[in-house]
Amino acid sequence: MLNDAQRAIVKSTVPLLETGGETLTQHFYRIMLGEFPEVRPLFNQAHQASGDQPRALANSVLMYAKHIDRLEALGNLPAQIVHKHVSLQVKPEHYPIVGACLLRAIREVLGAEIATDAVIDAWGAAYQQLADLLIGAEEQTYAAIEAAPGGWRGERAFRVTRKQAESSVITSFYLSPVDGGPVIAHQPGQYIGLRLVLDGQEQRRNYSLSSVANGSELRISVKREPGGRVSEHLHDQVAVGDVLQLFPPAGNFVLRDGDKPLVLISGGVGITPTLAMLQAALETERAVHFIHCARDRASHAFRDTVDGLAARHPQLQRFYCYDQADAADQVDAVGLLDQQRLADWLPASRDLDAYFLGPKPFMAQVKRQLKALGVPEAQTHFEFFGPAAALN
């Protein structure tokens, strides 16, 4: 058990983590992914190459060290981690591997003079405290999903029943369970885990569910990422009739009940979870402002779908902003979504609920703009497609 002296030691390492945390986590990943092939499928190599994953882990480790004596200050971070782990099927046996590699990285990066035995023991106890919390929360989540109608644990085979191009870069896959059983009612905004074996190597990915639950099938809408091994395989190789292995829906970026005006803001493929949220919200009388930003008309997915919903639901207002547009595109704005445009498209009252998703710079910009426009921070919600990190 972590004692007070160990907590003080962990907190004393905060300045080192603030300046060198990313170097430490990069070394950690080199050790773990190089020596423990069994955990490689849990990590997206593209996020490793971009530095997103080491950067996100460094931020998480830093936040944990800062708040080691007041874990409630971590806010939503533990829940995000739990849901991400559940979506990829992280198991208790993975935690000792991570812990051993983390402690080794601390010693090797900081050196024995700084990372003394006392420091290593303190971080070992701190890691075990966190691991125990996460393992317990993850098991509760696994069990709840399995016990729910249409739920399951681990892999479940789904057949591709339809493949639909939604834009020049996004394709939808309609998936029905091979066993013919019901499908758990996911919450709008959640994602599934997908397991593939490509050229003998296991790959796991998350994809948002782009439609509301119907009890019988799931829909994911996948952007083709240049050089993306899994997305290109799905676009080019997977056909109707093929079978994919799915992990159950997870994620805590979900539409919450409420009667305040709802604002959904998306950029690019960020439209996939906000579309499901839109469909769910329109089942109520709630006013909805749907704002989507795309590169151009060809890359704008689901425009006809949203236009059709707007024609049938007077409480829905939708606005489109393209980087580039022709006169025939019928777009509301061309260029960046600046603060004045956003102000014009928001409801008159700033007492609203806002959900936004897209590329990280886009989300950082929207977050700043909403704050400047007077939207309460507690009523703004966002999610990361990749590893969770700070959004400044």
Side-chain angles (χ1 to χ4, degrees):
M1 178 177 289
L2 187 68
N3 59 42
D4 290 342
Q6 290 171 328
R7 286 190 183 89
I9 290 174
V10 169
K11 292 198 77 169
S12 74
T13 64
V14 165
L16 296 172
L17 295 173
E18 287 177 328
T19 58
E22 196 170 333
T23 300
L24 189 154
T25 54
Q26 286 172 343
H27 188 57
F28 157 77
Y29 278 119
R30 279 195 294 270
I31 295 170
M32 186 175 66
L33 299 180
E35 299 181 14
F36 297 92
E38 61 267 40
V39 301
R40 288 176 195 156
L42 303 174
F43 299 92
N44 187 325
Q45 294 305 307
H47 295 155
Q48 289 292 320
S50 69
D52 285 348
Q53 206 141 37
R55 197 171 302 118
L57 178 61
N59 177 70
S60 298
V61 171
L62 174 61
M63 293 297 291
Y64 181 55
K66 278 185 173 180
H67 303 296
I68 192 71
D69 52 0
R70 199 166 59 89
L71 296 183
E72 65 274 12
L74 293 172
N76 200 37
L77 181 60
Q80 288 180 344
I81 294 172
V82 167
H83 280 276
K84 182 66 69 173
H85 284 186
V86 168
S87 73
L88 295 171
Q89 299 291 289
V90 171
K91 301 293 179 63
E93 57 264 31
H94 295 135
Y95 280 89
I97 296 173
V98 174
C101 294
L102 179 62
L103 297 181
R104 180 177 155 189
I106 291 173
R107 173 64 62 85
E108 292 179 0
V109 170
L110 299 183
E113 291 186 3
I114 296 175
T116 62
D117 289 346
V119 168
I120 295 299
D121 288 344
W123 264 105
Y127 174 79
Q128 194 58 54
Q129 172 183 269
L130 179 61
D132 289 343
L133 289 171
L134 295 177
I135 289 170
E138 286 158 16
E139 175 54 33
Q140 289 180 353
T141 305
Y142 284 129
I145 293 172
E146 184 179 23
W152 71 96
R153 184 188 287 245
E155 296 179 18
R156 188 177 179 188
F158 279 71
R159 180 170 284 109
V160 179
T161 59
R162 182 181 168 195
K163 185 176 178 181
Q164 174 71 45
E166 307 291 359
S167 77
S168 60
V169 292
I170 296 174
T171 294
S172 289
F173 298 82
Y174 293 74
L175 307 164
S176 297
V178 172
D179 59 26
V183 177
I184 189 172
H186 63 273
Q187 299 181 70
Q190 288 192 308
Y191 47 82
I192 54 90
L194 169 67
R195 177 184 177 274
L196 291 171
V197 177
L198 303 179
D199 299 326
Q201 294 185 339
E202 182 182 351
Q203 308 281 341
R204 300 187 188 190
R205 295 291 188 273
N206 294 137
Y207 293 108
S208 294
L209 293 158
S210 59
S211 63
V212 292
N214 63 15
S216 61
E217 69 176 2
L218 300 172
R219 184 179 74 180
I220 58 173
S221 301
V222 180
K223 179 186 176 185
R224 178 193 290 273
E225 298 289 353
R229 191 172 185 188
V230 174
S231 69
E232 289 189 344
H233 174 81
L234 291 171
H235 275 252
D236 297 336
Q237 304 299 325
V238 172
V240 171
D242 288 347
V243 174
L244 300 174
Q245 300 297 327
L246 302 188
F247 302 133
N252 65 337
F253 176 67
V254 297
L255 182 64
R256 295 164 173 81
D257 292 336
D259 54 10
K260 292 182 172 63
L262 175 65
V263 178
L264 301 171
I265 308 171
S266 54
V269 75
I271 195 173
T272 52
T274 60
L275 180 61
M277 292 180 177
L278 173 62
Q279 292 170 335
L282 292 179
E283 295 175 0
T284 71
E285 297 302 315
R286 195 173 188 180
V288 184
H289 288 224
F290 189 89
I291 301 168
H292 182 64
C293 301
R295 187 170 61 249
D296 51 33
R297 178 66 183 90
S299 62
H300 183 177
F302 301 110
R303 174 165 177 167
D304 291 344
T305 299
V306 174
D307 287 346
L309 290 171
R312 298 193 301 274
H313 297 274
Q315 77 265 37
L316 169 60
Q317 296 186 51
R318 88 287 183 271
F319 306 92
Y320 304 139
C321 181
Y322 291 173
D323 292 346
Q324 307 169 23
D326 297 326
D329 288 338
Q330 297 182 346
V331 66
D332 298 283
V334 179
L336 295 177
L337 177 62
D338 59 32
Q339 187 168 310
Q340 184 56 56
R341 283 176 180 149
L342 184 57
D344 292 342
W345 295 345
L346 290 181
S349 170
R350 298 304 189 245
D351 185 20
L352 55 86
D353 292 324
Y355 295 76
F356 55 97
L357 190 62
K360 200 175 297 182
F362 171 85
M363 292 196 295
Q365 173 184 295
V366 169
K367 183 182 179 184
R368 290 192 299 268
Q369 291 171 348
L370 289 172
K371 182 178 181 179
L373 292 171
V375 178
E377 189 169 355
Q379 292 166 214
T380 63
H381 313 278
F382 58 90
E383 176 68 290
F384 292 93
F385 275 139
L391 189 62
N392 299 314

